[in-house]
Amino acid sequence: MESAKWQGKCPSCHAWNTFVEEVLQKDNKKEIWKDDKDKSGPKSIRLSEVSEEESKRIITEDHELNRVLGGGIVEGSVVLIAGEPGIGKSTLFLQDCLQLKKITTLYISGEESMQQIKMRADRINIKNDNFYLLNATDTQAIFNEIKKLKPQLVVIDSIQTLESPFIESAPGSVSQVRECTAEIVRFAKATNTPVFIIGHITKDGSIAGPKVLEHMVDTVLQFEGDRHYSYRILRTTKNRFGSASELGIYEMSQDGLRQISNPSEILITQKDEPLSGIAIAATLEGARPLLIETQALVTHAVYGTPQRTVTGFDLRRLQLLLAVLEKRGGFHFGVKDVFLNIAGGIKVEDPAIDLAVLCALLSSYEDKPLPQRICFVGEVGLSGEVRAVNRIEQRIAEAEKLGFEKIYVSKFNKKSITQKSAIEIIMISKIEELYRLLF
Ligand code: TYD
Ligand code: MG
């Protein structure tokens, strides 16, 4: 028994005066700066003396993964992949391991049986004799096997199923998840083996288990997408070895995930005749320019309270844009149902998409299609001004590459556009001008 304060009677055996006081105190060391002789402890060195040897990287066949990791898997790094159940985390890493034929990989699953994994591997249909499977949840048993096999890459699917014998709580609990991760991190650093840890996220989008997990690992990747669409996005949210705003795009197919190296071409639907309510935005996801189609439907409200429904866009942002249109343009959206959709089930956070959303809304309101081969980029402010966005030249270059003829940008971006391009750049400063130019 232990007690933090004085106890007369032991609550366990009910005997009196059996508790003894034990003072828990750190050794009272004397302060070191008073003593000249003591030379122990860590030593500092000059920054210039630190060896410049770059950490070695394993380059995988998956270029999207290489990109989000900042150029391949760093040896000894621990990477956390977080995503909702069923999004394709197991598929992605099974596939990436199977493609790595030159190194020994170990895939540890605590969720699925060997047969289930085999069935999935058959769908992916890649043969690899250096790929090993382990069905285990006990961390010490896992390390034991690793010691024998000496794999060069380890995948753990998932952290929520692991169990450390040093801790009593149930698998998936905060303390278990934290302890198991700490053991894995120690292993990775000691043996210089890279480890991928797959983790489920809860409904509110946070990684189940403590936030501290994110601090313990070197890199955090988020795997996301709408289950009803086939596109999946792998996003870096933390990276000690590269940029934290990279993005990889995949498509879920019959035989695993397919890398998409040219996403803009797929995200814009091919159509024979122009349709109303569609506008193309030149967005930037991470460091990657992406042309995305925004679709709006504005109809007369059938019920008393008009509906606002969005997919892939922030609802409050839509309400704000509608209020701006109402106030600055005199459009009566108050009696209309408004639906807004970002094509491909992609979630866009880039505020530069505003202008395209606004044009899609106007186009549907007027039921007039916008001319084809034009795109938009700009943030819309509360007073209806079109604001400048970052990396404008990169966006223009992407639009030009995809054969667009005109791009509408903010007048305030003028200074940052220095390069000449074949695409016609139309500068606007207020949304009022937009209506005159388009309709
Ligand atoms: P899974 O990798 O099990 O997701 P997670 O590990 O994130 O829970 O992926 C499950 C989904 O992927 C499942 O609905 C089936 C689908 N899928 C395909 O569409 N094609 C494939 O080739 C594979 C292996 C899975
Ligand atoms: Mg899984």
Side-chain angles (χ1 to χ4, degrees), residues 89-90 111-112 120 157 200:
K89 303 180 292 300
S90 304
E111 300 201 329
E112 291 158 307
R120 180 174 300 144
D157 189 5
H200 295 295

Side-chain angles (χ1 to χ4, degrees), residues 8-259:
K9 183 181 173 185
C10 172
S12 157
C13 66
H14 306 294
W16 287 91
N17 272 342
T18 48
F19 265 78
V20 285
E21 185 185 11
E22 222 171 21
V23 183
L24 290 175
Q25 204 175 46
K26 280 200 173 166
D27 290 3
N28 244 340
K29 279 204 194 124
K30 67 171 177 282
E31 289 186 79
I32 223 149
W33 55 270
K34 289 180 185 156
D35 184 355
D36 300 337
K37 275 170 259 139
D38 201 331
K39 293 268 166 24
S40 61
K43 278 205 177 58
S44 53
I45 60 168
R46 281 197 194 90
L47 180 63
S48 56
E49 287 165 26
V50 180
S51 80
E52 272 178 36
E53 197 181 312
E54 255 266 308
S55 341
K56 268 208 219 131
R57 290 184 187 252
I58 301 169
I59 311 293
T60 70
E61 295 287 306
D62 181 348
H63 302 297
E64 302 295 298
L65 181 69
N66 292 341
R67 181 212 312 271
V68 295
L69 292 174
I73 306 167
V74 177
E75 286 190 345
S77 65
V78 180
V79 182
L80 174 70
I81 300 97
E84 282 174 28
I87 206 80
K89 303 180 292 300
S90 304
T91 307
L92 180 65
F93 283 91
L94 182 66
Q95 180 178 336
D96 284 345
C97 286
L98 283 171
Q99 284 170 347
L100 278 171
K101 298 193 180 166
K102 297 225 175 69
I103 64 170
T104 312
T105 49
L106 176 63
Y107 187 97
I108 301 160
S109 178
E111 300 201 329
E112 291 158 307
S113 68
M114 301 267 193
Q115 283 70 33
Q116 279 174 305
I117 300 170
K118 175 101 175 83
M119 267 163 58
R120 180 174 300 144
D122 286 344
R123 274 180 86 170
I124 297 168
N125 198 17
I126 303 172
K127 299 271 172 294
N128 183 345
D129 275 340
N130 280 330
F131 176 80
Y132 290 83
L133 267 180
L134 175 65
N135 209 215
T137 55
D138 182 294
T139 52
Q140 295 311 304
I142 288 172
F143 289 133
N144 208 10
E145 178 58 27
I146 287 178
K147 231 160 69 186
K148 279 185 242 155
L149 184 68
K150 295 199 175 52
Q152 287 150 290
L153 176 70
V154 177
V155 176
I156 292 173
D157 189 5
S158 66
I159 188 71
Q160 275 92 4
T161 58
L162 286 201
E163 202 172 354
S164 165
F166 305 126
I167 272 203
E168 275 168 26
S169 50
S173 66
V174 170
S175 45
Q176 270 295 2
V177 165
R178 189 191 302 162
E179 169 64 22
C180 293
T181 310
E183 283 176 26
I184 292 165
V185 171
R186 280 198 296 273
F187 156 75
K189 302 297 164 196
T191 60
N192 218 15
T193 315
V195 183
F196 284 92
I197 302 176
I198 294 176
H200 295 295
I201 55 175
T202 51
K203 285 225 176 60
D204 60 4
S206 62
I207 297 159
K211 193 81 181 153
V212 66
L213 204 66
E214 291 184 29
H215 299 297
M216 292 164 80
V217 299
D218 300 306
T219 303
V220 180
L221 305 179
Q222 200 92 29
F223 200 39
E224 54 190 46
D226 193 315
R227 210 181 294 208
H228 305 294
Y229 293 93
S230 53
Y231 299 109
R232 299 286 181 269
I233 289 184
L234 191 62
R235 211 187 274 277
T236 322
T237 57
K238 164 185 173 176
N239 195 357
R240 286 190 183 145
F241 307 111
S243 153
S245 58
E246 283 294 349
L247 189 87
I249 303 182
Y250 300 89
E251 185 182 8
M252 182 63 97
S253 67
Q254 282 306 306
D255 46 3
L257 286 148
R258 203 164 59 80
Q259 305 168 35

Side-chain angles (χ1 to χ4, degrees), residues 42 273 399 405:
E273 51 186 295
E405 285 156 10

Side-chain angles (χ1 to χ4, degrees), residues 275-281 294-298 318 321-322 325 331 333 340 352-371 374-378 380 386 408-409 428 430-431 433-435 437-439:
L275 304 168
S276 71
I278 288 179
I280 314 283
T294 60
Q295 306 167 341
L297 178 65
V298 179
L318 172 68
L321 292 177
L322 290 176
L325 279 174
F331 297 96
F333 281 97
L340 186 76
I353 196 175
D354 282 358
L355 196 60
V357 169
L358 210 106
C359 293
L361 289 169
L362 283 178
S363 161
S364 181
Y365 185 97
E366 297 289 343
D367 201 16
K368 282 190 195 140
L370 295 172
I374 68 169
C375 61
F376 304 88
V377 55
V380 175
V386 180
Y408 286 74
V409 305
I428 50 171
K430 288 208 182 75
I431 60 163
E433 297 164 37
L434 198 65
Y435 191 82
L437 285 168
L438 289 174
F439 301 105

